[in-house]
Amino acid sequence: MLNRLIEWSLRNQLLVAAGLVVAIAAGVWSVRTTRIDAIPDLSDVQVILYTEFPGQSPQVVEDQVTYPITSTMLSVPYAKVVRGYSFFGFSFVYVIFEDGTDLYWARSRVLESVAGLQSRLPQGVSPQLGPDATGVGWAFMYVLNSESRSLAELRSLQDWYLKYGLLAVEGVSEVASIGGFVRQYQVEVDPVRLRAYGLSLPVVRRAIQESNADVGGRLIEVAEREYMVRGRGYVRELRDLETIVLASGPGGVPVLVRDVANVTIGPEIRRGLVDWNGEGETVGGIVVVRSGADTRSTIERVKERLAELAGGMPDDVEISVAYDRTGLIERSIETLTDTLLEESIVVAVVCLVFLFHFRSALVPILAIPVSVLLAFVVMRAQGLGSNIMSLGGIAISIGVLVDASIVMVENVHRHLAAHKGKRSHFEIVLRAAQEVGPTLFFSLLVITVSFLPVFTLEAQEGRLFKPLALTKTYSMAMASVVAVTVVPVLMFWLVRGRIVSERRNPVSRLLRFVYRPLVAGAVRLRWLVIVLMIGVLASSLAPLKRIGSELATCSTCRRRCRACRSGRHGRSSSRQTGSSAASRRSCPCSARSAVPRRRRTRRRCRCWRRRSC
């Protein structure tokens, strides 16, 4: 079948050329539109629930908010871990799902479970979903600086102007405000005056809540015109709060809020601050990119929107960039791009030196970008982004991509030297390609499937190495297809003219002059060579046992930990018996509390340099 495919490609060169142009155009489009980031996203599929319970201690938040939510989230389909954290006044619950779960499907299922939680939570407490992003989405930060404005004014500009403008940018999941002071109306009640009027705090709170609202009435028709009736009661200034009526005093005189409290504008209690270059406090914003969005293009849109919003800011307020991942992305991509270019140049030089024919060397040189572009088409279709791992897979496959092309070109050279003038150029190229093409195709497929075990990795290690394995697999698969379709056509077009035979090639003659005696000696002394190789292999076992690792502990430490965990040495407690105390003293791990760490592990463990010991 492959021989027929090679023959069809040579007999339909125009169709192959047209398909090649379309493939290159699709590859260029895929490269330009593939989302780019510096690092792969190793985060689990998780949904965050944030719940406020103002003024309550962590224990109360744990009992009345965190526990009901976590116990309900355990029944969500495909949820493998549920973690709850209780703080003063608020709670966080993290629902982590199994790998492969769609993020938005998971969010919808969590929302369904939250809908039935209201009856189990305190009145007025409602959980909120966190942003549809991961930790890798923290990609851009900016600060507001001004020499004449207070931190409260800068925070108001951030919360009520910049934040909503940036949330409308495509790809932005959240804009978090940090630093400064959140302005609020503060009612400082005097308990003495409150008691003198016979009132309580719930009365004051209820009166303020009921007075801060607009109410609607019906319509009034006057002179064939309709007028809407409404009561405007939103608080707009301090005087509106001060004149709220709490109750009726002696003689029908109303008791106002200002009679029992001082009303001021002050800052909300802060849980953190932001410092800018050691010059003092400032106000900033954190832009979180949505999961699956193109980080670099999203940051560029955020910068453009910030430039637009800066025109509506006061003249004395300056927006400065505190963190921008674009530089890291561009440096990472530039490094890998330079590496790919250098590898391509090295391959081209090697091809020129060994083939000793410029146009013949163009065949493997052109096969490299075609295979890479076709790999990008598959990446774009799968939704796989470009990062240091996915591009690294292409980088490590560059040297293998040209193997089939070089072998086929060399075979054409050999056939031309043997049959030039006896057969047509078409027949020579066809027979040379059919002679080695199928074998090379299957050899590339064997190299392609060599990375299949990487796809069995799970969790974070799987999310880290799978992009590399996928791009490596795609590149090799596309190279095998190019070898039996495009390469024969390129050889028919380019491998022409004066071809230097292998025997007349000075580089080949030099290498054969050096290599033949070595091979002859190795074959003649084959048992000695085998023994030497076994000795070299055995000598590598000693350093292999002493080499450091972060994925496993040494056998000595593992045996000790298992012994202690199984309880064979007893447990340390105030009611320890004599036998258990003796067994603890006999345990090698019992010296950990008495002997300095490095000195102890140096005597008993071979991997004493590792922190895990």
Side-chain angles (χ1 to χ4, degrees):
M1 184 182 68
L2 292 177
N3 287 334
R4 292 181 180 179
L5 179 60
I6 294 173
E7 184 177 359
W8 182 90
S9 300
L10 283 172
R11 295 188 182 277
N12 298 273
Q13 299 177 17
L14 184 61
L15 291 178
V16 174
L20 179 61
V21 172
V22 173
I24 292 175
V28 173
W29 175 80
S30 301
V31 171
R32 295 175 63 89
T33 58
T34 299
R35 55 188 178 91
I36 301 175
D37 203 345
I39 54 177
D41 191 355
L42 306 182
S43 305
D44 295 299
V45 179
Q46 67 174 2
V47 179
I48 304 175
L49 285 172
Y50 172 71
T51 311
E52 289 188 351
F53 197 10
Q56 302 298 327
S57 65
Q59 185 61 48
V60 175
V61 174
E62 174 74 23
D63 296 338
Q64 299 187 21
V65 177
T66 307
Y67 178 75
I69 295 177
T70 53
S71 59
T72 302
M73 292 300 112
L74 289 172
S75 61
V76 175
Y78 301 108
K80 62 178 182 179
V81 178
V82 178
R83 300 191 183 107
Y85 301 91
S86 301
F87 303 91
F88 178 79
F90 61 93
S91 165
F92 279 107
V93 175
Y94 296 83
V95 185
I96 301 176
F97 289 82
E98 297 179 0
D99 290 343
T101 306
D102 182 72
L103 174 62
Y104 294 98
W105 181 89
R107 291 171 66 87
S108 64
R109 298 310 299 264
V110 169
L111 276 178
E112 293 176 4
S113 301
V114 169
L117 266 175
Q118 296 300 327
S119 60
R120 299 176 58 188
L121 297 178
Q123 186 177 2
V125 174
S126 178
Q128 301 176 2
L129 280 182
D132 52 343
T134 63
V136 183
W138 188 331
F140 188 80
M141 292 177 60
Y142 62 91
V143 295
L144 305 178
N145 295 317
S146 177
E147 296 181 357
S148 58
R149 296 186 180 272
S150 64
L151 293 175
E153 293 175 318
L154 295 177
R155 181 61 184 261
S156 298
L157 287 172
Q158 161 61 22
D159 288 340
W160 303 106
Y161 181 65
L162 291 178
K163 180 177 180 179
Y164 293 110
L166 295 178
L167 282 174
V169 176
E170 181 184 356
V172 174
S173 174
E174 181 189 23
V175 179
S177 302
I178 53 175
F181 297 96
V182 178
R183 299 178 63 182
Q184 61 178 197
Y185 293 105
Q186 296 179 348
V187 181
E188 301 173 356
V189 179
D190 187 345
V192 177
R193 286 187 285 172
L194 192 66
R195 184 176 182 182
Y197 285 104
L199 301 176
S200 61
L201 280 176
V203 173
V204 179
R205 183 195 306 172
R206 184 169 55 253
I208 294 175
Q209 289 176 346
E210 295 175 353
S211 300
N212 185 30
D214 275 6
V215 295
R218 300 191 64 181
L219 298 174
I220 298 178
E221 185 177 351
V222 178
E224 298 183 356
R225 298 182 64 181
E226 291 183 343
Y227 295 89
M228 293 179 293
V229 179
R230 59 174 180 157
R232 305 180 65 180
Y234 282 127
V235 173
R236 299 181 180 274
E237 56 185 6
L238 291 178
R239 185 174 178 277
D240 296 337
L241 275 175
E242 293 175 344
T243 56
I244 293 177
V245 178
L246 301 178
S248 179
V253 178
V255 179
L256 306 179
V257 170
R258 66 188 177 193
D259 296 329
V260 299
N262 296 324
V263 182
T264 59
I265 295 179
E268 185 181 359
I269 298 177
R270 299 198 299 170
R271 305 306 297 270
L273 55 86
V274 178
D275 179 83
W276 177 245
N277 290 336
E279 300 174 359
E281 292 189 44
T282 187
V283 175
I286 302 173
V287 178
V288 181
V289 179
R290 182 174 290 112
S291 179
D294 188 355
T295 303
R296 186 170 68 170
S297 60
T298 302
I299 294 176
E300 294 299 327
R301 289 192 291 268
V302 168
K303 291 179 181 178
E304 294 175 1
R305 181 58 59 87
L306 276 178
E308 296 175 2
L309 295 175
M313 300 278 288
D315 295 336
D316 58 340
V317 178
E318 179 184 359
I319 302 177
S320 303
V321 177
Y323 171 68
D324 184 1
R325 195 189 292 172
T326 305
L328 176 61
I329 296 173
E330 292 179 351
R331 288 192 299 270
S332 302
I333 301 302
E334 182 181 355
T335 300
L336 287 171
T337 303
D338 294 342
T339 302
L340 291 174
L341 182 60
E342 292 171 359
E343 290 184 348
S344 302
I345 293 175
V346 170
V347 170
V349 171
V350 171
C351 293
L352 285 173
V353 170
F354 283 89
L355 296 178
F356 224 68
H357 188 253
F358 178 75
R359 286 185 295 177
S360 298
L362 288 178
V363 176
I365 292 173
L366 294 176
I368 296 177
V370 172
S371 303
V372 172
L373 289 176
L374 290 176
F376 268 98
V377 173
V378 183
M379 290 172 56
R380 180 66 174 81
Q382 189 183 4
L384 187 65
S386 298
N387 50 62
I388 57 176
M389 295 302 294
S390 59
L391 295 182
I394 297 177
I396 63 178
S397 64
I398 289 292
V400 191
L401 294 181
V402 296
D403 287 352
S405 304
I406 293 177
V407 174
M408 294 181 74
V409 170
E410 286 183 337
N411 199 41
V412 171
H413 282 196
R414 187 173 61 84
H415 276 256
L416 285 173
H419 305 289
K420 188 174 183 180
K422 302 178 182 179
R423 298 175 182 173
S424 65
H425 187 71
F426 178 87
E427 187 177 357
I428 292 175
V429 174
L430 176 61
R431 292 195 177 186
Q434 289 179 338
E435 183 178 356
V436 296
T439 305
L440 293 172
F441 178 83
F442 288 111
S443 65
L444 289 176
L445 287 185
V446 170
I447 300 175
T448 301
V449 300
S450 64
F451 266 63
L452 291 182
V454 179
F455 297 114
T456 62
L457 297 176
E458 298 179 350
Q460 290 185 348
E461 59 272 17
R463 290 187 288 271
L464 176 63
F465 291 108
K466 280 183 180 179
L468 184 145
L470 285 172
T471 52
K472 173 72 161 51
T473 301
Y474 296 155
S475 301
M476 297 304 303
M478 293 301 106
S480 62
V481 174
V482 169
V484 294
T485 55
V486 178
V487 171
V489 177
L490 293 177
M491 290 192 303
F492 180 78
W493 291 346
L494 299 176
V495 184
R496 294 174 179 271
R498 183 174 178 272
I499 305 296
V500 179
S501 64
E502 184 179 357
R503 293 182 178 180
R504 297 178 59 187
N505 190 329
V507 178
S508 299
R509 293 176 61 183
L510 175 62
L511 293 178
R512 295 173 73 173
F513 175 77
V514 175
Y515 182 63
R516 280 183 175 179
L518 293 177
V519 174
V523 172
R524 187 166 53 252
L525 304 174
R526 50 187 175 276
W527 293 112
L528 178 60
V529 173
I530 294 175
V531 171
L532 290 176
M533 291 301 102
I534 294 176
V536 172
L537 179 62
S539 64
S540 65
L541 297 178
L544 181 62
K545 290 184 177 181
R546 297 178 179 271
I547 194 170
S549 173
E550 294 183 0
L551 300 179
T553 58
C554 69
S555 58
T556 305
C557 295
R558 185 164 58 249
R559 285 196 299 269
R560 292 176 185 173
C561 295
R562 287 176 180 174
C564 292
R565 286 198 301 266
S566 63
R568 292 198 297 263
H569 300 304
R571 292 181 175 85
S572 176
S573 64
S574 57
R575 289 184 264 179
Q576 195 175 41
T577 61
S579 59
S580 62
S583 61
R584 286 289 292 178
R585 287 194 297 270
S586 63
C587 173
C589 300
S590 61
R592 292 183 177 180
S593 59
V595 183
R597 179 178 177 182
R598 175 161 292 192
R599 182 180 177 186
R600 178 189 71 251
T601 53
R602 191 171 184 176
R603 291 203 310 263
R604 292 177 169 82
C605 175
R606 292 180 177 178
C607 57
W608 60 275
R609 292 182 181 273
R610 288 174 43 205
R611 298 180 60 186
S612 59
C613 296

